[in-house]
Amino acid sequence: MNFHYHLLINQAAGSGNGKKTADKILPILDKKKLSYTVHYSEYKGHDALIAEHLAEDTLIEWEEDIDADTIGWYPLLIVIGGDGTLHQVLNTFHHLCVSFPVGFIPAGSGNDFARGIGLSRDPEKALETILATKEPQKINVLHYEEKVNDREGLALNNFGIGLDAAIVHATNHSNAKKRLNKYNLGSLSYIFSLLYVLFSQKGFPILVDIGGKRVNFKKAFLCTATNHPYFGGGVSIVPTADVTKPTIDFVVVERVNLFKIAWLLLLLLQKKQMHSKYFHHYTASKLRIVSTIPQYGQEDGEDLEKQSFDLQLTNKTQLLWCEKIVMRDEESTS
């Protein structure tokens, strides 16, 4: 089958890493004499607008028995940007009630999605994988409905309430993040925000319905639903999470004193946090989280202002243009 590649490029992703990545990719496509069109995202929300136009006029839904002779050149979308760019694109398709396979070349600051599903974070290797792929693979993403504020959509990485969301809020509103990203030290901004929020975040009550079983927590500190291991730029919050399984991994960490939190962080760095009695991990096909006291929220690193939540989560299948996904250690994905 012949392909015409549509490259949606967010040059501003990762404080300019999107442009650097595109500068490496485009000459390779030219050298290989491949057919492609470039679509540059130039302002906030432009990713979604480009995706909408492509969905309406250009892209074709994938079918297993697709007739290559009939369509001629198959239009394949490749997103070059951060997790936020891909989030905008897939949510646009979701709200249009259409589904297309998407190739992804990570160029953000955290790149948790690529890390979490085993995609190479090296641009040239990621492109090689896309070009070598013959058919898309199915992965599971989170589908959420938030009843209090009437929001609905997809989360590729995780949806969090409490500590991680407060860290995302503090980081995204910090001038240090932009400065550190210029030197490829963006992860340090998370650490600075973490230290600040650890002292300011208070415990809050939540009610969780896990596949019909209700659990109350009086002093939740961190509350995160995820479908792959990573959040916060490479922190392995649930090492056993797997996008190939139709399940949601849910974590609640209770508010404890700072000495115990420090111990939990040490366990987290060693991927042994599940041994702590203050770290609660559940796996389910559907989930409901109710928080009546306003807290910060985050979806795929995009912060939500303080609010109450009545959140329902399930899985949705997404087609990703990549080779068969095999969950691997972080070291093998770089």
Side-chain angles (χ1 to χ4, degrees):
M1 182 182 294
N2 294 318
F3 293 93
H4 182 88
Y5 300 102
H6 288 269
L7 278 66
L8 194 164
I9 301 173
N10 184 346
Q11 297 185 95
S15 294
N17 191 41
K19 182 180 185 305
K20 294 176 183 177
T21 299
D23 288 344
K24 293 179 181 178
I25 295 303
L26 296 180
I28 297 174
L29 296 176
D30 289 332
K31 186 177 180 180
K32 292 179 177 291
K33 297 182 179 181
L34 297 173
S35 177
Y36 70 90
T37 301
V38 175
H39 308 269
Y40 288 108
S41 174
E42 298 177 348
Y43 51 84
K44 187 175 181 179
H46 200 192
D47 304 328
L49 187 59
I50 293 171
E52 182 177 349
H53 289 162
L54 288 172
E56 292 174 346
D57 303 328
T58 306
L59 301 178
I60 301 173
E61 295 198 16
W62 180 263
E63 298 177 3
E64 292 186 4
D65 58 349
I66 195 165
D67 189 340
D69 294 329
T70 300
I71 65 170
W73 295 75
Y74 185 81
L76 179 64
L77 176 62
I78 300 176
V79 174
I80 299 178
D83 290 350
T85 308
L86 187 60
H87 173 97
Q88 291 294 326
V89 170
L90 295 187
N91 270 279
T92 298
F93 293 162
H94 172 71
H95 290 127
L96 291 173
C97 299
V98 294
S99 178
F100 306 105
V102 176
F104 182 52
I105 299 177
S109 55
N111 295 323
D112 280 329
F113 180 72
R115 182 184 282 107
I117 68 171
L119 289 181
S120 176
R121 285 167 279 146
D122 177 277
E124 295 181 16
K125 290 181 180 179
L127 177 62
E128 288 175 7
T129 297
I130 291 172
L131 298 182
T133 297
K134 303 302 181 185
E135 60 182 10
Q137 301 297 318
K138 292 181 180 180
I139 64 168
N140 292 294
V141 297
L142 299 176
H143 173 247
Y144 70 85
E145 293 182 67
E146 205 293 295
K147 300 295 186 180
V148 175
N149 293 280
D150 195 24
R151 290 170 53 90
E152 181 265 344
L154 305 179
L156 315 182
N157 296 328
N158 31 66
F159 199 118
I161 302 170
L163 179 69
D164 63 324
I167 293 170
V168 167
H169 178 84
T171 302
N172 288 350
H173 291 80
S174 169
N175 292 327
K177 182 179 180 180
K178 292 183 178 179
R179 293 196 296 268
L180 289 167
N181 275 340
K182 291 180 181 179
Y183 302 100
N184 295 318
L185 297 173
S187 295
L188 286 179
S189 61
Y190 286 97
I191 296 175
F192 295 150
S193 298
L194 170 64
L195 294 175
Y196 167 74
V197 173
L198 278 177
F199 288 93
S200 59
Q201 176 68 33
K202 297 180 180 179
F204 57 96
I206 61 167
L207 168 66
V208 185
D209 188 312
I210 307 163
K213 178 184 177 181
R214 291 193 172 189
V215 183
N216 283 287
F217 293 92
K218 294 181 179 179
K219 289 187 177 182
F221 190 47
L222 177 148
C223 175
T224 299
T226 185
N227 66 332
H228 68 66
Y230 299 99
F231 82 146
V235 178
S236 183
I237 185 70
V238 185
T240 57
D242 186 339
V243 293
T244 64
K245 297 178 181 178
T247 54
I248 303 166
D249 284 85
F250 177 62
V251 166
V252 176
V253 176
E254 296 179 70
R255 174 77 217 199
V256 290
N257 64 51
L258 288 177
F259 294 105
K260 291 179 179 177
I261 290 174
W263 177 248
L264 269 172
L265 289 174
L266 181 61
L267 292 176
L268 187 63
L269 292 174
Q270 299 174 340
K271 298 182 181 180
K272 296 180 179 179
Q273 65 269 25
M274 293 189 181
H275 298 307
S276 171
K277 66 179 181 179
Y278 304 110
F279 185 98
H280 305 276
H281 172 235
Y282 305 91
T283 302
S285 59
K286 60 181 180 179
L287 187 69
R288 182 185 178 198
I289 307 165
V290 178
S291 172
T292 55
I293 297 178
Q295 299 293 323
Y296 286 118
Q298 67 86 14
E299 50 175 299
D300 290 344
E302 300 297 318
D303 62 286
L304 307 173
E305 291 298 327
K306 275 190 174 181
Q307 61 185 67
S308 299
F309 288 90
D310 185 349
L311 183 67
Q312 296 187 40
L313 292 152
T314 54
N315 274 295
K316 181 181 178 181
T317 300
Q318 169 63 40
L319 293 178
L320 191 70
W321 199 265
C322 65
E323 296 176 335
K324 185 175 181 180
I325 296 172
V326 178
M327 300 309 295
R328 296 167 289 180
D329 292 336
E330 178 181 348
E331 289 76 14
S332 65
T333 64
S334 59

